[in-house]
C-alpha cells in the first residue's frame, strides 16, 4: 500500500472535510454521531486552530519579499525554522500512522463510498489534522515564528516541483510572458558573449565599434534586471547557507508534510488520489 496515497486518501477522501462539516451542520445530531460522536467538538477545535494561526501571524509579523522576488535567508531565522520542523515531524508521523490505520480498517466501506463511513472519515480527518496542527502552532509560538514566515522559508528550502512543459505551440508565448526564465536568460547570455569577438575585429569602424559597445552595455543591464526579477541574486546569496545546513535540511524534507500542514489546499478541493 502506498503510504503517501493513504495519508492523502484519508484526509482527502471525504471530499472532504468540507462535506463532513456541511453534513454536520445540515444533519445535526445524526451526522455528529456518525463522525464518531465528536463532530461538533472537532469543528470547534478546527475553528480555534484557525484563530490561533491568525493570532501567531499578528504576534510575530512577517513581511514577505515583493511579488516576484525571492526570500533572502537569514541564519538567525533558519535555525528556529528547522527547530519547528524537527519538533513537528513526530506529530506528522502520528498523523500518518493513524491515517494508514483508518484506511486499512475501513477500506471496503470507503471504496463503496458508504455515507456513514465518509462522515466518520471526515471526523477522523479533523481530529488527526487538528492534533498535528496544534503541535505545529505550539512549536511556532515557542520559536516566535509566524505561519506566514514558516511558509515563506519552506518555499525556499523545499520549492514545489516545476510546472509541466507548455503544450506544443505555446513555447514562444511562454518565453514572452516569462522574460526572466532560465531559457531566455541563457539566450541573452549567448548574444552578449557573441559581441566580444566582434569587437576584436580590427576592421571595425569607430561607428560600428561604438554601436557594438552600446549594445553590449544595454544587454548587460537588461540581463542584470532580469536576473534580479528572477531572484537569481537571492538564490546565489542563499546558496552558502543552504549548503552549510544541507544535511539538516535534507533530514526533515517531507513533501506530504508540506502539502498537509504547511500549505494545505482549501477544504473541498481535495480529491481521492487514483490507485
Amino acid at each position: 500500500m502506498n503510504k503517501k496515497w493513504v495519508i492523502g486518501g484519508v484526509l482527502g477522501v471525504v471530499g472532504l472535510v468540507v462535506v463532513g462539516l456541511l453534513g454536520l451542520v445540515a444533519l445535526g445530531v445524526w451526522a455528529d454521531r456518525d463522525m464518531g460522536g465528536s463532530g461538533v467538538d472537532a469543528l470547534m477545535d478546527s475553528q480555534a486552530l484557525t484563530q490561533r494561526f491568525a493570532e501567531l501571524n499578528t504576534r510575530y509579523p512577517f513581511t514577505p519579499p515583493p511579488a516576484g522576488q525571492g526570500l533572502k535567508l537569514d541564519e538567525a531565522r533558519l535555525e528556529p525554522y528547522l527547530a519547528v520542523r524537527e519538533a513537528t515531524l513526530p506529530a506528522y508521523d502520528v498523523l500518518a500512522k493513524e491515517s494508514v490505520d483508518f484506511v486499512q480498517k475501513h477500506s471496503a466501506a470507503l471504496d463503496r463510498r458508504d455515507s456513514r463511513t465518509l462522515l466518520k472519515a471526515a471526523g477522523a480527518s479533523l481530529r488527526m489534522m487538528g492534533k498535528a496542527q496544534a503541535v505545529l502552532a505550539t512549536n511556532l509560538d515557542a520559536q516566535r515564528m509566524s505561519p506566514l514566515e514558516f511558509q515563506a522559508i519552506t518555499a525556499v528550502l523545499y520549492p514545489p516541483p516545476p510546472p509541466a512543459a507548455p503544450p506544443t505551440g505555446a513555447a514562444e508565448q511562454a518565453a514572452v510572458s516569462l522574460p526572466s526564465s532560465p531559457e531566455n536568460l541563457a539566450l541573452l547570455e549567448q548574444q552578449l558573449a557573441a559581441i566580444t569577438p566582434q569587437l576584436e575585429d580590427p576592421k571595425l569602424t569607430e561607428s560600428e565599434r561604438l554601436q557594438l559597445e552600446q549594445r553590449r552595455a544595454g544587454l548587460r543591464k537588461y540581463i542584470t534586471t532580469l536576473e534580479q526579477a528572477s531572484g537569481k541574486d537571492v538564490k546565489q546569496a542563499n546558496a552558502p547557507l543552504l549548503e552549510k545546513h544541507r544535511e539538516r535540511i535534507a533530514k526533515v524534507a517531507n513533501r506530504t508534510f508540506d502539502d498537509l500542514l504547511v500549505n494545505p489546499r482549501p477544504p473541498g478541493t481535495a480529491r481521492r488520489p487514483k490507485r
Side-chain angles (χ1 to χ4, degrees):
M1 181 177 291
N2 185 299
K3 185 176 180 181
K4 184 174 181 179
W5 178 87
V6 169
I7 298 169
V10 72
L11 298 172
V13 70
V14 216
L16 259 194
V17 174
V18 76
V19 170
L21 294 180
L22 291 175
L24 178 63
V25 173
L27 302 177
V29 176
W30 179 85
D32 184 54
R33 182 185 68 241
D34 287 317
M35 290 177 78
S38 59
V40 173
D41 290 340
L43 174 57
M44 294 178 65
D45 289 343
S46 178
Q47 292 173 333
L49 272 171
T50 299
Q51 179 62 30
R52 187 176 179 187
F53 281 120
E55 291 172 353
L56 287 173
N57 282 327
T58 301
R59 190 179 309 154
Y60 309 116
F62 169 73
T63 303
Q69 295 187 22
L71 174 68
K72 186 175 181 179
L73 295 175
D74 177 356
E75 190 162 20
R77 301 308 296 157
L78 179 59
E79 173 63 35
Y81 168 87
L82 291 172
V84 170
R85 200 170 177 100
E86 289 163 346
T88 308
L89 273 173
Y92 165 80
D93 290 338
V94 172
L95 166 64
K97 182 181 184 304
E98 290 180 347
S99 300
V100 172
D101 292 345
F102 185 94
V103 170
Q104 289 177 334
K105 182 178 180 180
H106 302 283
S107 59
L110 290 172
D111 283 339
R112 67 173 182 269
R113 302 193 67 78
D114 175 73
S115 60
R116 291 179 180 272
T117 304
L118 292 180
L119 282 171
K120 184 181 293 184
S125 67
L126 278 174
R127 290 192 299 274
M128 290 185 287
M129 284 289 291
K131 288 189 295 183
Q133 289 173 332
V135 172
L136 175 60
T138 296
N139 292 330
L140 286 170
D141 199 9
Q143 296 295 334
R144 303 180 64 83
M145 178 171 285
S146 70
L148 287 176
E149 184 179 9
F150 192 78
Q151 288 175 334
I153 297 177
T154 298
V156 177
L157 270 57
Y158 310 103
T168 303
E172 293 81 2
Q173 180 180 354
V176 173
S177 61
L178 296 172
S180 60
S181 66
E183 296 81 4
N184 192 49
L185 283 169
L187 181 60
L188 292 172
E189 291 282 4
Q190 292 175 8
Q191 295 176 8
L192 179 62
I195 294 178
T196 299
Q198 295 179 47
L199 284 169
E200 295 174 353
D201 185 352
K203 297 180 181 179
L204 281 178
T205 66
E206 287 301 318
S207 175
E208 290 171 336
R209 186 178 302 278
L210 178 61
Q211 289 179 358
L212 283 173
E213 288 177 345
Q214 289 176 339
R215 184 185 175 197
R216 181 169 64 177
L219 271 173
R220 281 176 174 167
K221 182 177 180 180
Y222 185 50
I223 289 172
T224 299
T225 300
L226 292 182
E227 286 178 342
Q228 291 174 344
S230 70
K232 182 178 179 180
D233 56 335
V234 175
K235 292 176 184 176
Q236 291 175 338
N238 287 340
L241 196 56
L242 294 175
E243 178 59 26
K244 178 180 178 180
H245 297 277
R246 178 172 56 85
E247 292 185 5
R248 192 176 175 191
I249 291 170
K251 189 175 181 179
V252 291
N254 190 306
R255 174 66 60 191
T256 311
F257 172 91
D258 295 334
D259 289 343
L260 293 179
L261 298 182
V262 185
N263 301 300
R265 285 178 291 178
T269 64
R271 293 292 183 270
R272 185 175 187 176
K274 295 181 180 180
R275 294 179 185 272

